[in-house]
Amino acid sequence: MRPDLDTWILDLDNTLYPADSALAAQLTHGILSTVAGFYGTDLIGARRIQAELVAQYGTSLRGAMITRAIDPHEFLGFERRIDYSVLTPDATLATALQALPGRRFVYTNGSVYHAEQALDRLGLTTHFDGVFDILAGDLIPKPYPESLDAFLTRFAIDPTRAAMVDDLEVNLTLPHERGMTTVWMSGEPFADGTPYRRIASRRWHAWDLPALLRSMVAPADI
């Protein structure tokens, strides 16, 4: 086990459940439909606008608030129409999370509501000590430093004793610079079948999250 790690930070979407999940497809459709409605366009136009908003402002929500002065709760209304029953309990991941020493947090660019619904369906609610969402970060998303600073302050986290897992490599650059051990989650298995690999010191790339977490509490350090 790594004795220097006592805080575990995990993204939600495409990390605690896979990118090919039916929930991910619903999220994409919900965001595009919302953008289409606010900007008066069809889904094709919404996809272009959404990509521009993410590129310039980090998330569709933040971009819509800046360019259209849209209320964030109104924008996030699509989450109430999502069918979260497409997710099922993940006992393997639950066991791996439970074995981690110290505290565990979800750090997401989504909302607390979305996180709570997904965690409940995955059977992971009791395995986390807190959720930090886009609203808690004053609508400033990962990978901006204001978001990370607010998260670390909220939960009094020492980044040198923390590991962070995210499916977007860009979200891990600043945490690694702050001293975190980082894990980039890939949606595809590696060709050689290994569940994870080391990229550099305190940097890992993985596609099998439970296997990686189990290795972190194994007798030998990774």
Side-chain angles (χ1 to χ4, degrees), residues 95-176:
T95 299
L97 286 168
Q98 189 63 33
L100 296 175
R103 299 180 299 164
R104 287 153 263 154
F105 299 101
V106 171
Y107 180 17
T108 175
N109 278 344
S111 73
V112 164
Y113 173 83
H114 171 58
E116 289 176 344
Q117 301 305 307
L119 291 174
D120 179 61
R121 287 292 181 173
L122 291 166
L124 302 178
T125 301
T126 61
H127 299 299
F128 287 96
D129 298 283
V131 174
F132 189 90
D133 74 338
I134 188 67
L135 299 174
D138 290 329
L139 301 170
I140 299 176
K142 298 179 284 185
Y144 292 98
E146 296 90 341
S147 174
L148 180 61
D149 290 340
F151 169 69
L152 295 176
T153 299
R154 168 73 67 88
F155 296 113
I157 294 171
D158 176 357
T160 66
R161 298 186 61 82
M164 180 169 167
V165 185
D166 201 293
D167 68 299
L168 296 179
E169 194 173 16
V170 66
N171 289 341
L172 298 171
T173 300
L174 183 59
H176 183 260

Side-chain angles (χ1 to χ4, degrees), residues 14-61:
N14 304 335
T15 299
L16 291 180
Y17 67 87
D20 60 1
S21 164
L23 181 60
Q26 289 186 70
L27 276 176
T28 298
H29 180 75
I31 292 171
L32 291 178
S33 296
T34 300
V35 170
F38 282 131
Y39 288 83
T41 185
D42 57 15
L43 290 181
I44 295 176
R47 189 176 297 277
R48 176 186 56 78
I49 293 170
Q50 192 257 352
E52 293 172 351
L53 293 176
V54 171
Q56 186 168 355
Y57 301 104
T59 64
S60 306
L61 171 57

